[in-house]
Amino acid sequence: VTAALNGQAPQRHAGLVDLTTREVDRRQRDRDPSKLFDTAHTISLLHRVDDAARARSASVKNVSATQVSVTQEIVVATSDGRLLTDRRVRIRTTCRVTARHEGRLETGFCGPGAGTGVELYEHYTPEAIGTEAADRALNALAGHEPPGGTMPVVLGSSGGGLLLHEACAHGLEADGLTRNSSAFAATPGQTVGSRLVTAIDDPSLDLGYGSYGVDDEGSNAGPTMLLESGVQVGAMTDSATAALLGRPGSGNGRRESYARPPLPRMSNTFITPGNDEKDSIIGGVKRGVYVATLKGGDVNIATGEFAFAASEAYLIERGEITRPLAGLTLMGNGPSAMASIEAVGNDLSFTQALCGKEEQWVPVSYGSPTLLVTGLTVTGRNP
């Protein structure tokens, strides 16, 4: 500046920077954005959810339904002069039902979402959302005390996805690896799961709830293989952890907003499908439990130890699903659970959620096919 004021030519010339804004490939989109903000239309949809849930039984006493729609216009300006734009849009409808009978209370939940607009309801009607939530509450209301001990557990696709997300993939977010605070910090290149398990994080999935065209540091979205036939082969990085690990970035630098620092975070994380049919997996279990869905729990990423509560579970006897169970909890260790998977179904599906880390919340999805896991401990409300 001083040289310019004195009419002197600067001694060095900065390199030219291309400030052309580049629009990335959009992974989330909607056909009619105006529908997301049509209050009357939204209220009508939520009434349909409510009506369907209450119609299931007189035992349904309370229904809470919500729709959350988000549209974001993202601009990322990088230190090397790149300007990138991305449009992100997502919708999620949730229904929570409380059922009561003879003084006993149970709840049921359903909450589908997608990286799109009201087209969600073409695949998941409001009536289906209300009915599914109510049926989970009613099944729990009729549920029996679960058996205890280590036994075969068949995880439905939603349950298997949460197991992967909480008990494994959080430990493969690279900040835990660089700090040596993850159970997976010492095992790159080693077998940490069953040879049947291949796990991927992919923010480029079309219409995925956790999808984006470019991450919040300007890196292109693309799949990262975390486990390949049980071997730990990858990690989810932002630019800082990628540099520390000496590897290319994976495009997982995410932040809740421009006011927060980027962190290595999951996007859409899933176990790839296998060859087994769900019915044949269940049919091969003499005595165990079938857990259709989990509703979260506690995980220690340093040790891999976890405890997850089931929101829908059933007893398996002689290869058949029999009575419903209530108050079931699964306990185990993440790497050990991954290693004890003995069958992988062909019915991959995803669950949508908000994931919290260091007080930042970002949209994610997690998925898996039906899984047979033999290394889990089952407990109930009265262990």
Side-chain angles (χ1 to χ4, degrees):
V1 175
T2 302
L5 290 174
N6 293 333
Q8 300 172 0
Q11 297 300 307
R12 295 182 179 179
H13 295 275
L16 295 177
V17 174
D18 182 4
L19 294 178
T20 303
T21 300
R22 179 171 65 87
E23 183 176 321
V24 303
D25 292 335
R26 292 178 178 174
R27 302 302 181 181
Q28 297 180 325
R29 57 192 174 276
D30 52 355
R31 289 199 302 265
D32 187 357
S34 66
K35 286 283 190 179
L36 287 176
F37 306 102
D38 185 334
T39 302
H41 184 255
T42 299
I43 291 173
S44 174
L45 290 170
L46 294 178
H47 274 304
R48 290 167 59 187
V49 174
D50 183 272
D51 291 344
R54 295 182 187 277
R56 298 302 288 173
S57 170
S59 295
V60 171
K61 301 303 180 182
N62 187 61
V63 179
S64 174
T66 67
Q67 177 186 294
V68 176
S69 306
V70 177
T71 299
Q72 295 174 303
E73 300 291 342
I74 304 296
V75 178
V76 181
T78 68
S79 57
D80 59 3
R82 290 174 294 139
L83 288 175
L84 308 101
T85 65
D86 192 9
R87 183 173 184 270
R88 302 174 187 170
V89 56
R90 63 183 184 272
I91 186 173
R92 188 178 183 214
T93 297
T94 67
C95 179
R96 188 177 301 277
V97 171
T98 301
R100 183 176 69 238
H101 181 67
E102 295 181 352
R104 180 174 172 180
L105 287 173
E106 297 288 351
T107 62
F109 178 81
C110 181
T116 186
V118 295
E119 302 89 85
L120 169 71
Y121 299 110
E122 297 173 6
H123 307 285
Y124 222 125
T125 66
E127 288 76 16
I129 296 170
T131 297
E132 190 167 318
D135 286 349
R136 285 179 178 153
L138 295 169
N139 282 333
L141 200 61
H144 298 259
E145 181 72 17
T150 300
M151 65 186 64
V153 175
V154 178
L155 289 173
S157 52
S158 294
L162 182 61
L163 176 67
L164 170 69
H165 175 97
E166 294 286 5
C168 179
H170 266 305
L172 292 171
E173 292 173 326
D175 48 355
L177 304 181
T178 58
R179 298 168 185 164
N180 289 318
S181 61
S182 164
F184 296 94
T187 53
Q190 298 182 26
T191 298
V192 296
S194 164
R195 62 178 179 80
L196 300 175
V197 174
T198 293
I200 294 172
D201 184 88
D202 189 359
S204 66
L205 286 183
D206 195 44
L207 305 183
Y209 195 69
S211 293
Y212 44 84
V214 63
D215 77 358
D216 297 325
E217 296 184 302
S219 298
N220 289 331
T224 297
M225 189 171 292
L226 305 174
L227 305 179
E228 183 176 16
S229 299
V231 177
Q232 182 181 327
V233 295
M236 293 160 284
T237 63
D238 58 3
S239 58
T241 54
L244 288 171
L245 292 173
R247 65 177 68 181
S250 68
N252 288 92
R254 307 186 67 188
R255 62 179 90 202
E256 184 178 88
S257 76
Y258 72 92
R260 306 300 300 272
L263 300 169
R265 305 293 300 273
M266 283 176 271
S267 59
N268 307 298
T269 315
F270 59 98
I271 293 174
T272 59
N275 299 316
D276 295 312
E277 297 287 339
K278 172 184 172 181
D279 289 345
S280 68
I281 294 175
I282 295 172
V285 176
K286 290 184 178 180
R287 181 174 173 80
V289 296
Y290 171 63
V291 178
T293 57
L294 292 169
K295 55 183 177 183
D298 296 317
V299 180
N300 184 333
I301 69 166
T303 64
E305 301 298 319
F306 64 80
F308 294 138
S311 58
E312 183 180 1
Y314 303 87
L315 187 66
I316 300 175
E317 297 176 290
R318 296 181 295 279
E320 297 286 340
I321 290 177
T322 57
R323 60 189 184 186
L325 303 173
L328 184 146
T329 297
L330 297 178
M331 302 175 65
N333 173 276
S336 296
M338 291 293 112
S340 67
I341 293 174
E342 295 192 357
V344 178
N346 57 10
D347 54 345
L348 172 65
S349 68
F350 287 86
T351 297
Q352 297 74 38
L354 288 178
C355 177
K357 178 178 175 179
E358 296 186 20
E359 299 183 351
Q360 293 195 55
W361 293 87
V362 296
V364 299
S365 69
Y366 45 80
S368 83
T370 298
L371 305 175
L372 172 61
V373 190
T374 58
L376 298 179
T377 299
V378 177
T379 66
R381 290 181 178 139
N382 301 303

PDB file of all heavy atoms in Angstrom, residues 39 123 181 307 348 373:
ATOM      1  N   THR A  39     -48.023 -23.083   4.430  1.00  0.00           N
ATOM      2  CA  THR A  39     -48.443 -23.447   5.782  1.00  0.00           C
ATOM      3  C   THR A  39     -49.700 -24.307   5.778  1.00  0.00           C
ATOM      4  O   THR A  39     -49.794 -25.306   6.511  1.00  0.00           O
ATOM      5  CB  THR A  39     -48.685 -22.179   6.614  1.00  0.00           C
ATOM      6  OG1 THR A  39     -47.486 -21.403   6.647  1.00  0.00           O
ATOM      7  CG2 THR A  39     -49.088 -22.536   8.038  1.00  0.00           C
ATOM      8  N   HIS A 123     -43.260 -41.293  -1.488  1.00  0.00           N
ATOM      9  CA  HIS A 123     -42.660 -42.577  -1.114  1.00  0.00           C
ATOM     10  C   HIS A 123     -43.023 -42.990   0.302  1.00  0.00           C
ATOM     11  O   HIS A 123     -42.919 -44.168   0.652  1.00  0.00           O
ATOM     12  CB  HIS A 123     -41.140 -42.482  -1.250  1.00  0.00           C
ATOM     13  CG  HIS A 123     -40.677 -41.990  -2.577  1.00  0.00           C
ATOM     14  ND1 HIS A 123     -40.689 -42.777  -3.710  1.00  0.00           N
ATOM     15  CD2 HIS A 123     -40.223 -40.769  -2.985  1.00  0.00           C
ATOM     16  CE1 HIS A 123     -40.239 -42.082  -4.742  1.00  0.00           C
ATOM     17  NE2 HIS A 123     -39.958 -40.865  -4.323  1.00  0.00           N
ATOM     18  N   SER A 181      -7.780 -40.728  20.495  1.00  0.00           N
ATOM     19  CA  SER A 181      -8.886 -40.880  21.436  1.00  0.00           C
ATOM     20  C   SER A 181      -9.935 -41.865  20.940  1.00  0.00           C
ATOM     21  O   SER A 181     -10.972 -42.031  21.573  1.00  0.00           O
ATOM     22  CB  SER A 181      -9.542 -39.520  21.695  1.00  0.00           C
ATOM     23  OG  SER A 181     -10.061 -38.972  20.487  1.00  0.00           O
ATOM     24  N   ALA A 307     -24.195 -49.009  24.684  1.00  0.00           N
ATOM     25  CA  ALA A 307     -25.482 -49.555  25.134  1.00  0.00           C
ATOM     26  C   ALA A 307     -26.564 -48.842  24.347  1.00  0.00           C
ATOM     27  O   ALA A 307     -26.640 -47.611  24.371  1.00  0.00           O
ATOM     28  CB  ALA A 307     -25.670 -49.346  26.631  1.00  0.00           C
ATOM     29  N   LEU A 348     -30.843 -53.077   1.990  1.00  0.00           N
ATOM     30  CA  LEU A 348     -30.317 -51.810   2.503  1.00  0.00           C
ATOM     31  C   LEU A 348     -31.398 -50.737   2.580  1.00  0.00           C
ATOM     32  O   LEU A 348     -32.153 -50.528   1.634  1.00  0.00           O
ATOM     33  CB  LEU A 348     -29.185 -51.314   1.588  1.00  0.00           C
ATOM     34  CG  LEU A 348     -28.647 -49.906   1.861  1.00  0.00           C
ATOM     35  CD1 LEU A 348     -27.971 -49.825   3.222  1.00  0.00           C
ATOM     36  CD2 LEU A 348     -27.676 -49.498   0.750  1.00  0.00           C
ATOM     37  N   VAL A 373     -25.949 -60.571  14.261  1.00  0.00           N
ATOM     38  CA  VAL A 373     -24.809 -60.271  15.125  1.00  0.00           C
ATOM     39  C   VAL A 373     -24.856 -61.244  16.302  1.00  0.00           C
ATOM     40  O   VAL A 373     -25.866 -61.357  16.984  1.00  0.00           O
ATOM     41  CB  VAL A 373     -24.853 -58.811  15.630  1.00  0.00           C
ATOM     42  CG1 VAL A 373     -23.545 -58.444  16.329  1.00  0.00           C
ATOM     43  CG2 VAL A 373     -25.138 -57.842  14.479  1.00  0.00           C
TER      44      VAL A 373
END
